[in-house]
Amino acid sequence: MSLNQTSADEAIRAAYPEFTSEERKAFLEPGASIQFESDGKVYYYEGIVRNIRYHNATLSRDFTRTLGESPFFDQVSPYISAPQDEKNPLYHNHTFLATGLLSIARDLLPGNGTLQVWVPLPVSTDSQSDIQVTSVVPEKFVVSGPVTTGEIGEVYLEIPLEEVTDEHVNVSVTVSFTTSPRITKVDPDLVQTYDISGPLYQRYTKSQPNINITPEIIALAKKIIGNETDPYKKARLIYDYIIETLPYSNVPHSYITAMSIPESDFVHNTGFGDCGTQSAYFAALCRASGIPARAPGGYQITPGHEGPHFWAEFYLPENGWIPVDVTIAEAGDWAYNATPGQVKEFKDFYFGNMDPYRFTIQTDMDEPFSGGPDPDIIFTVAYQNPAVVCHSSDADVELIGMSSWSYAFEDEIPDKL
C-alpha cells in the first residue's frame, strides 16, 4: 500500500497511455481500487495497474495476445472434451519430483540462537498419493517429521546458528508424489441430507479466522441461492456469482493480515480477491448456506505456470469433497484465442472437476503447523512458504524466510502440451 494519489496516477498513465485523465481519476475513487486512508491521505495498492487489466476483459485479452499464450486455458481447454485415455494428460495420473530450497544469507541472522524452520510438504489426499520424502538437509537438525498425513504436510528443524559458518543457511527438501485428476458426476436428485450433528458438518460450517461468516455474508448467500434447496445447485449458484461478479485481483496480503481482516471479509467489503481470497469467500458463502466447505492450498503446477495457489471444495454426503476453482475458471475470460463456447466449457469444468496439476500442502486455510509457530509469526493463513522463527533476532525473520524460499517441480513423464 505504498502509492499516493500522484504516483498511482502516474503508474496508470504509464501502463495505459490511452486513458484520459478523467478515466484515470475514476480508478482512484473509493471502491474502484484497493486503498486506505491515514492521516488524511489516501494510499493505494502497488498492484493497481495489474488489477485494472484483470477487471477489463479487453485489456486482459490484449495482454494474452501479446504473450502469444492464454495461461491455464491453453494447457487445459484442448483436453477437456478430448477422449479420456492415456494420451490425454488432463485425465491421467502424474508423478512429480519437487525440490524445495530455503537459502538465507548468514549475515541477515544473529551470531547465535536457534533458527526454527517449519518446511511445507505435500499431504496425502484422495488426489495426492505415493508421497516419498527422499531428503531433508540438514538432516541432523530435524526435530520432527517428515509428516505427510493429516491436515498439513511438514518437517520441523531447529538449527543452532553458532554452528553455521557458511555464507548462507540452507535447508532443502526433495519429495516425489503422484497426483490424480478429480472428475465428479453428481446427480442433484440423489444428494442425501447432511448429518448436521456430525463432526465434519460442525467443523466446516462454522467461522474460522479467514473463512468468516458475517451477517452480511449470510444475507448475500440467501440472495444468491434464492429458493434453491439442493446443496449441489446452491454451490453452483455461488460459483457462478463469484466468477461473474468478482474478477480476479492481486491483493495486499501483508496489509490484510496486519489489519486482522479475514480473507472472506476483505473480498466481500471491497470486491477484490485473488485465489486465496476468492476461495475463502466461496467457502464462507457455502457455509452460510449450510454447505460444508473449505479452501485447500499449496501450488498449482500447470506446466510453465507453477506458483502458489488456493482452490475450494464443498462436501456432499456419499460424494465426498467436490473440487471448485473459481480463479482458474476466470482465466477463460482472459484468453484471446477462446470462443464463448470454449470459455463456458472451461468454466463448467472447474465446478466439480480438477486438473491433476496440484501440489496440496494444507487441506484448508488456517491449518497450523505443529509446535505452534502461530504466536511468533503473522502470516498464518497459508503455508506455501516455510514458517521461520528466531527469537534472538531483531529482524523480520518471517519475511526473510518467505522471500528466500522456492519450490521447483518436474513431471517425471512430461506431457507434450
Side-chain angles (χ1 to χ4, degrees):
M1 306 294 290
S2 58
L3 301 178
N4 60 26
Q5 184 170 337
T6 300
S7 57
D9 182 68
E10 290 175 349
I12 297 170
R13 181 172 56 183
Y16 308 111
E18 68 272 23
F19 288 170
T20 67
S21 60
E22 289 301 312
E23 288 173 326
R24 296 197 307 272
K25 182 180 178 181
F27 291 116
L28 303 177
E29 294 297 322
S33 59
I34 300 174
Q35 54 188 264
F36 81 101
E37 185 175 338
S38 178
D39 296 328
K41 296 181 180 180
V42 179
Y43 295 90
Y44 298 86
Y45 176 44
E46 59 86 22
I48 187 172
V49 165
R50 296 189 299 275
N51 286 343
I52 289 171
R53 186 183 79 231
Y54 287 130
H55 286 227
N56 186 300
T58 299
L59 292 176
S60 294
R61 290 165 190 157
D62 287 345
F63 180 73
T64 57
R65 185 178 289 106
T66 62
L67 294 177
E69 178 192 30
S70 298
F72 309 114
F73 180 84
D74 284 354
Q75 285 74 39
V76 174
S77 180
Y79 301 101
I80 291 177
S81 58
Q84 298 183 22
D85 56 27
E86 68 279 359
K87 296 180 181 180
N88 189 330
L90 185 62
Y91 294 104
H92 65 64
N93 294 352
H94 294 252
T95 297
F96 290 91
L97 179 67
T99 303
L101 175 62
L102 176 70
S103 185
I104 301 176
R106 183 65 183 85
D107 58 10
L108 295 178
L109 299 169
N112 51 38
T114 300
L115 188 70
Q116 299 173 266
V117 183
W118 287 261
V119 177
L121 295 175
V123 65
S124 295
T125 68
D126 289 343
S127 59
Q128 185 167 263
S129 60
D130 300 327
I131 300 170
Q132 300 292 327
V133 180
T134 54
S135 72
V136 180
V137 180
E139 186 177 9
K140 66 178 180 179
F141 297 136
V142 173
V143 175
S144 65
V147 174
T148 59
T149 58
E151 308 305 325
I152 190 166
E154 64 168 76
V155 60
Y156 172 58
L157 302 88
E158 292 182 354
I159 302 174
L161 291 174
E162 56 270 20
E163 295 187 23
V164 181
T165 57
D166 294 335
E167 292 184 358
H168 288 82
V169 177
N170 292 323
V171 177
S172 66
V173 296
T174 305
V175 57
S176 64
F177 59 99
T178 298
T179 62
S180 306
R182 299 171 67 185
I183 309 299
T184 61
K185 298 185 184 299
V186 177
D187 185 342
D189 295 330
L190 299 179
V191 173
Q192 300 183 12
T193 57
Y194 291 111
D195 175 9
I196 62 174
S197 63
L200 185 148
Y201 189 90
Q202 293 291 317
R203 162 67 179 86
Y204 292 108
T205 54
K206 68 179 182 181
S207 285
Q208 64 189 63
N210 282 289
I211 300 176
N212 190 36
I213 308 168
T214 64
E216 294 78 13
I217 287 178
I218 292 173
L220 177 60
K222 290 181 179 178
K223 182 178 179 181
I224 293 170
I225 65 176
N227 296 324
E228 185 57 65
T229 58
D230 180 88
Y232 181 80
K233 294 178 181 178
K234 288 196 289 187
R236 179 63 197 237
L237 289 169
I238 292 168
Y239 173 84
D240 290 340
Y241 172 82
I242 292 176
I243 63 177
E244 290 171 4
T245 64
L246 296 169
Y248 177 85
S249 312
N250 291 142
V251 297
H253 285 288
S254 297
Y255 168 78
I256 294 172
T257 300
M259 299 299 291
S260 299
I261 303 172
E263 296 275 327
S264 57
D265 286 14
F266 183 83
V267 68
H268 181 80
N269 293 330
T270 68
F272 290 84
D274 65 1
C275 62
T277 316
Q278 288 180 320
S279 298
Y281 198 39
F282 175 87
L285 288 166
C286 281
R287 292 183 185 189
S289 306
I291 305 169
R294 63 187 184 183
Y299 287 73
Q300 53 82 12
I301 49 178
T302 306
H305 299 284
E306 297 86 352
H309 191 52
F310 269 90
W311 51 98
E313 296 175 338
F314 66 97
Y315 187 83
L316 295 178
E318 300 299 317
N319 297 99
W321 290 105
I322 308 298
V324 168
D325 196 329
V326 294
T327 304
I328 295 296
E330 287 187 20
D333 292 327
W334 311 338
Y336 76 96
N337 51 347
T339 66
Q342 289 172 323
V343 172
K344 182 181 185 304
E345 179 185 60
F346 187 77
K347 291 180 177 181
D348 287 344
F349 177 82
Y350 280 104
F351 180 81
N353 305 301
M354 193 67 71
D355 59 73
Y357 305 114
R358 306 286 159 149
F359 177 68
T360 306
I361 293 168
Q362 55 197 105
T363 60
D364 193 19
M365 61 175 53
D366 297 314
E367 290 291 350
F369 280 141
S370 65
D374 298 34
D376 302 300
I377 63 174
I378 296 174
F379 197 65
T380 59
V381 58
Y383 289 116
Q384 296 145 331
N385 305 291
V388 183
V389 174
C390 183
H391 294 293
S392 59
S393 175
D394 294 328
D396 191 341
V397 177
E398 176 186 357
L399 184 60
I400 292 171
M402 291 175 66
S403 62
S404 303
W405 169 257
S406 65
Y407 245 130
F409 302 92
E410 180 182 354
D411 195 335
E412 292 189 355
I413 306 177
D415 298 317
K416 296 180 180 180
L417 295 178

